[in-house]
Amino acid sequence: MKIHLQTPQEIRLKIWKELSRASLDRHHDWRTPVLASVDADGLPDARTVVLRQADALAGQLTFYTDSRSPKVAQLQTQASAMLVFWSARLSWQLRVRVVCTVITAGPEVEALWQGVKQSAAAGDYLSPLAPGAVLPPDRGTADAADASVPAPTHSFAVLHAQVLQMDWLELSREGHRRAQLDATTWAWLTP
Ligand SMILES: Cc1cc2nc3c(=O)[nH]c(=O)nc-3n(C[C@H](O)[C@H](O)[C@H](O)COP(=O)(O)O)c2cc1C
């Protein structure tokens, strides 16, 4: 049975608890939100990313990416972005307005890279081809296309998303609920 949380304090706490769980549990629905940004022409762009860390105290969500990916250039030009999470288990949608910072070098990147480079995902950050690069028409994977090209140093980058505001929506037979919250305020909205 679903527990019907009542107070803003309870719900706020639970939102961050679930975000933290999602960063550790690859089966959590909130593990793979959609990150929406705008490109250089002001057009919307969006993609799935994996939530790696959720820091309730700092109000920060962390992701890993390739420093050469188009989203990095977009976020360096326009740091405002949205993250959208949906959990069928919770019947909760969370839309999070964030400001993004991409870190491509330095002690934090190198420390996290030490872990990532041991994992199966390491190859993603070592490919000589940037994400989104066009492959020859007869090749479906970058691995096959770039066999003769020497691998560069890693292009692993850390993306920090500072949370500005959340829009929380709960779907429930007892009545949908919606609220807009930031670090200190809470407003109930019509769902
Ligand atoms: C389940 C799933 C998880 C993904 N996780 C990430 C991720 O954590 N970081 C990332 O940069 N791309 C991730 N991707 C790939 C992106 O969705 C996207 O295709 C790629 O990063 C290029 O995006 P861009 O062209 O907007 O930069 C993931 C894709 C899927 C399907």
Side-chain angles (χ1 to χ4, degrees):
M1 197 185 103
K2 276 182 188 162
I3 302 159
H4 199 64
L5 300 169
Q6 291 302 343
T7 69
Q9 290 85 346
E10 284 175 333
I11 298 167
R12 188 195 297 276
L13 210 69
K14 172 93 166 150
I15 288 171
W16 279 102
K17 202 172 189 175
E18 292 294 340
L19 286 169
S20 175
R21 280 186 187 161
S23 71
L24 303 168
D25 175 3
R26 63 195 180 93
H27 300 297
H28 195 295
D29 290 337
W30 280 4
R31 175 77 164 174
T32 47
V34 170
L35 169 69
S37 55
V38 286
D39 72 12
D41 299 320
L43 297 171
D45 204 352
R47 76 291 290 160
T48 310
V49 285
V50 174
L51 177 63
R52 301 291 178 177
Q53 208 194 325
D55 183 335
L57 268 184
Q60 193 177 74
L61 303 172
T62 298
F63 304 87
Y64 298 163
T65 193
D66 187 305
S67 59
R68 303 165 300 174
S69 67
K71 77 180 84 47
V72 169
Q74 291 172 9
L75 293 168
Q76 283 168 342
T77 306
Q78 173 52 267
S80 289
M82 287 289 294
L83 285 157
V84 183
F85 301 80
W86 159 245
S87 166
R89 175 177 60 85
L90 298 164
S91 292
W92 283 9
Q93 173 185 258
L94 191 67
R95 297 156 70 196
V96 187
R97 191 171 294 284
V98 293
V99 174
C100 295
T101 311
V102 182
I103 305 175
T104 56
E108 184 186 11
V109 170
E110 289 314 315
L112 289 169
W113 172 244
Q114 291 312 309
V116 173
K117 80 174 185 191
Q118 321 281 355
S119 73
D124 296 348
Y125 305 103
L126 290 167
S127 166
L129 297 175
V134 178
L135 294 171
D138 59 333
R139 298 294 173 88
T141 68
D143 290 347
D146 63 27
S148 60
V149 185
T153 54
H154 74 77
S155 53
F156 173 74
V158 180
L159 195 168
H160 288 305
Q162 187 66 38
V163 175
L164 298 182
Q165 194 174 59
M166 292 177 169
D167 183 310
W168 169 81
L169 172 68
E170 178 185 64
L171 302 181
S172 167
R173 286 202 196 112
E174 295 151 54
H176 305 332
R177 295 188 297 172
R178 182 176 170 192
Q180 200 168 74
L181 56 144
D182 62 22
T184 53
T185 67
W186 183 282
W188 292 106
L189 304 181
T190 322

